[in-house]
Amino acid sequence: MSYAPNFSDVSRRAATYVDKILKGAKPADLPVEQPTKFELVINLKTAKALGLDVPPTLLATADEVIE
C-alpha cells in the first residue's frame, strides 16, 4: 500500500516554478508549495502473500489496485 503525492502533478507545478524563474522572478520570493493531489495504491498480490485482508471499503477508495 502506498499513499504518496501524484508525481505528474508535482512535475507540472515544478515546471511552473521554472517558468517563473526563467521570466525573472527571484526564487527566494516564490512561496513554498505543498503537494495537493495524493494517490492511494494497493498491491493485492503482495497483501495476499503476506496473509493480509484488505477491507472492501479501502479497495473502493484506492486510485489504483494491483492484482
Side-chain angles (χ1 to χ4, degrees):
M1 184 170 14
S2 169
Y3 187 68
N6 181 309
F7 292 111
S8 62
D9 183 55
V10 171
S11 299
R12 274 193 295 277
R13 294 173 75 138
T16 303
Y17 260 53
V18 170
D19 182 53
K20 289 178 183 179
I21 292 169
L22 291 175
K23 289 182 179 177
K26 291 183 181 181
D29 294 338
L30 296 175
V32 175
E33 292 189 14
Q34 298 290 329
T36 56
K37 292 184 181 179
F38 291 85
E39 292 180 322
L40 175 62
V41 179
I42 299 174
N43 189 330
L44 280 180
K45 184 177 177 181
T46 301
K48 289 178 184 178
L50 294 171
L52 302 173
D53 290 325
V54 181
T57 54
L58 187 60
L59 288 173
T61 61
D63 296 303
E64 181 180 352
V65 177
I66 301 169
E67 297 189 41

